[in-house]
């Protein structure tokens, strides 16, 4: 699909990669950009339409879909990341919070907007995943498990939405210079660069976008006898 004259809906658009997506969509010539966040007053980007949305709230998801009936590109960007060891007392509760946002939030938004996308010619869905879809680091098992599940969900959505002409693209990215990685000493991608790469991938019809060298390295290792997840 083409970004020029598209109508884009971005979740978690008040900061970080979500805000970068909204900016990149406007720069690419989108006709309208809906910027969704729990607190719409936190949206400070000129030219967008703020939308109140908690992706874990079924009523708010339904209200957003009912209001925004002109959407042609849904960007499922909203996500959470909290550290927890697998044997910690709160590990399962932490994992449930991750799955509610990172998996079921993506599922609910896509389910709610699928009829709109079909009515508007098919359109596309972009799901923001992670290199940790394929790799689990100590203390990040709840996050990694949720992103791995979101990867499987994205592949299932791609298969099922193909019949209505809806493209589904998965974005895998390593470390980005956002609040989520603050204090982490590692090479980080700029959110603006990742957003542009992802939108270029959508326009090219890609089913998957690997936004950095780390993601490309880990993906390539999966087919070897020494995959990164076993290191």
């Amino acid at each position: 699909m083409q970004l020029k004259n598209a109508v884009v809906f971005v979740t978690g658009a008040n900061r970080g990669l979500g805000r970068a997506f909204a900016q990149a969509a406007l720069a690419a010539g989108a006709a309208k950009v809906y910027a969704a966040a729990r607190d719409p007053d936190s949206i400070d980007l000129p030219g967008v339409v703020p939308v109140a949305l908690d992706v874990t709230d079924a009523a708010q998801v339904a209200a957003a879909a009912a209001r925004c009936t002109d959407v042609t590109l849904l960007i499922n960007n909203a996500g959470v990341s909290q550290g927890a060891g697998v044997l910690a007392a709160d590990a399962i509760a932490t994992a449930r919070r991750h799955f509610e946002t990172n998996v079921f939030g993506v599922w609910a938004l896509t389910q709610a907007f699928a009829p709109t996308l079909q009515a508007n010619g098919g359109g596309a869905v972009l799901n923001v995943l992670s290199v940790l879809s394929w790799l689990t680091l100590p203390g990040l098992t709840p996050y990694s498990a949720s992103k791995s599940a979101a990867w499987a969900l994205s592949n299932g959505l791609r298969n099922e939405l193909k019949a209505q002409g809806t493209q589904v693209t998965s974005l895998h990215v390593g470390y980005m210079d956002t609040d989520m990685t603050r204090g982490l000493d590692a090479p980080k991608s700029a959110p603006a660069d990742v957003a542009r790469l992802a939108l270029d991938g959508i326009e090219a019809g890609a089913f998957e976008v690997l936004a950095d060298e780390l993601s490309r390295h880990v993906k390539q290792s999966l087919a070897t006898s020494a995959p990164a997840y076993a290191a």
Side-chain angles (χ1 to χ4, degrees):
M1 69 168 293
Q2 297 299 308
L3 267 296
K4 186 173 177 59
N5 296 322
V7 177
V8 184
F9 189 102
V10 186
T11 67
N14 57 324
R15 60 181 183 171
L17 182 59
R19 191 177 191 277
F21 270 126
Q23 289 177 304
L26 290 172
K32 184 188 296 184
V33 175
Y34 293 106
R38 283 191 175 95
D39 177 10
D41 290 337
S42 65
I43 302 292
D44 62 356
L45 182 63
V48 303
V49 181
V51 177
L53 178 65
D54 178 344
V55 300
T56 69
D57 186 317
Q60 289 193 17
V61 170
R67 171 187 172 187
C68 307
T69 57
D70 50 352
V71 170
T72 59
L73 170 60
L74 169 64
I75 299 180
N76 286 311
N77 166 75
V80 297
S81 176
Q82 297 173 309
V86 293
L87 300 182
D90 63 346
I92 292 178
T94 300
R96 290 186 193 280
R97 288 195 295 273
H98 281 79
F99 272 72
E100 284 297 326
T101 298
N102 298 350
V103 182
F104 296 118
V106 172
W107 203 328
L109 263 292
T110 306
Q111 184 181 60
F113 276 94
T116 293
L117 295 173
Q118 182 178 28
N120 294 330
V125 176
L126 174 68
N127 292 333
V128 177
L129 305 180
S130 171
V131 68
L132 297 183
S133 304
W134 305 312
L135 177 68
T136 305
L137 300 179
L140 290 175
T141 295
Y143 178 78
S144 295
S146 71
K147 288 298 185 177
S148 184
W151 181 43
L153 172 62
S154 296
N155 293 334
L157 292 171
R158 183 179 305 110
N159 293 336
E160 295 198 28
L161 294 180
K162 186 184 302 183
Q164 70 171 45
T166 299
Q167 171 188 336
V168 177
T169 301
S170 298
L171 169 64
H172 294 270
V173 59
Y175 301 118
M176 281 188 297
D177 191 12
T178 65
D179 291 344
M180 195 174 287
T181 62
R182 183 174 294 163
L184 183 66
D185 184 17
K188 300 174 187 178
S189 300
D193 293 339
V194 174
R196 282 194 296 270
L197 278 172
L199 295 185
D200 287 346
I202 289 171
E203 289 199 309
F207 74 92
E208 187 171 74
V209 175
L210 308 179
D212 54 20
E213 184 57 35
L214 177 60
S215 296
R216 290 187 286 272
H217 169 73
V218 172
K219 176 68 182 296
Q220 289 170 357
S221 81
L222 299 181
T224 72
S225 60
Y229 63 78

